[in-house]
Amino acid sequence: MRVVIAEDSVLLREGLVRLLADEQIETVATVGDGPSLVGIVAEHRPDLAIVDVRMPPSFTDEGLRAALAVREQVPGTPILVLSQYVEERYATDLIGGGAEGVGYLLKERVAEVREFIDAVRRIAAGGTVIDPEVIGQLLGRRRSGDRMEVLTPREREVLGLMAQGRSNGAIARDLVVTEGAVEKHISNIFLKLNLPPAEQNHRRVMAVLAYLGRPEGPAGGGGAAGAGGRRGS
């Protein structure tokens, strides 16, 4: 796997390079600002771009804007955005542009090496990975009448794990249930969220977008590859 990194902190940037190298993941280029990201992605066509949200000059959302520019100018480039704080808008803005191969994680997750590397590989393979802290905040601010109210607590729990990029098997292990039980919960989620089977659509991603508060579009609309990088239900 080949990656590029946009991160203004030299210490974190070099730490990421070393961590990835230990897993036989090659860093082909690094930059310290958002605008330079588009150029190195266009030049190297990496398997993944890892991007800090806040970079020079204003340290607001340069990285996010650069990530969105990459998705527009070099379509299909998997993006992993790293943030110091939970900012739900950044996650939903990124996924709203297309849910194939995107991730939003807090920087503290880098210290959880195995999980971080797993997320890197899943995003590069077309999966969607959202930080559990973002999922928790979204759950905490759900209002009465929200679409998620039609789901049972267990179904919302399953959907939250889907949003983190977990496969059915991983969800089953986390919840200590059978994989068949997980598949039944997911089928109920699709039914309650009015997401019928459609070849052009990936219901798993559409459910995650609904969970994150984004309009998921009409059934049978534009396609996307999904959370966890799997197609079908």
Side-chain angles (χ1 to χ4, degrees):
M1 187 190 303
R2 301 165 64 255
V3 306
V4 299
I5 299 173
E7 166 62 60
D8 65 291
S9 167
V10 175
L11 183 61
L12 179 56
R13 188 168 68 229
E14 294 306 312
L16 284 170
V17 171
R18 177 63 64 86
L19 186 154
L20 295 170
D22 288 345
E23 300 295 328
Q24 289 72 55
I25 299 173
E26 179 187 5
T27 301
V28 295
T30 64
V31 294
D33 62 274
S36 300
L37 175 66
V38 179
I40 63 170
V41 169
E43 177 183 354
H44 295 281
R45 302 285 171 152
D47 300 301
L48 176 70
I50 300 176
V51 188
D52 182 16
V53 167
R54 298 185 176 189
M55 288 190 288
S58 70
F59 293 94
T60 54
D61 62 353
E62 283 85 359
L64 176 70
R65 287 188 279 112
L68 295 175
V70 166
R71 298 283 285 184
E72 180 178 350
Q73 297 183 34
V74 190
T77 301
I79 300 284
L80 168 56
V81 167
L82 298 178
S83 178
Q84 189 70 37
Y85 310 102
V86 175
E87 297 179 84
E88 299 161 17
R89 178 178 61 84
Y90 292 161
T92 53
D93 282 353
L94 186 65
I95 293 175
E100 180 174 358
V102 295
Y104 178 94
L105 293 176
L106 293 180
K107 288 184 176 181
E108 64 190 52
R109 303 299 174 199
V110 176
E112 301 167 5
V113 177
R114 292 265 56 86
E115 292 187 14
F116 176 71
I117 293 298
D118 180 59
V120 164
R121 295 191 186 281
R122 279 187 283 154
I123 296 164
T128 303
V129 179
I130 306 299
D131 196 282
E133 289 295 326
V134 176
I135 301 302
Q137 287 204 15
L138 286 167
L139 274 175
R141 66 175 176 80
R142 290 293 179 191
R143 299 186 299 274
S144 177
D146 188 277
R147 291 189 69 194
M148 297 300 110
E149 291 296 316
V150 301
L151 304 181
T152 66
R154 177 55 66 130
E155 288 164 354
R156 289 196 293 271
E157 192 173 12
V158 169
L159 184 51
L161 291 169
M162 287 167 59
Q164 294 176 34
R166 296 284 201 273
S167 66
N168 288 3
I171 293 172
R173 290 191 295 274
D174 286 350
L175 300 181
V176 195
V177 298
T178 66
E179 195 163 342
V182 171
E183 291 173 357
K184 182 176 180 180
H185 286 309
I186 293 174
S187 294
N188 288 338
I189 290 168
F190 292 155
L191 180 64
K192 292 179 179 181
L193 295 183
N194 192 27
L195 298 172
E199 184 177 352
Q200 297 87 357
N201 242 344
H202 185 234
R203 295 186 296 171
R204 203 176 181 93
V205 168
M206 296 300 102
V208 168
L209 290 177
Y211 182 83
L212 292 172
R214 279 281 179 176
E216 75 279 2
R230 298 175 54 182
R231 290 198 172 273
S233 63

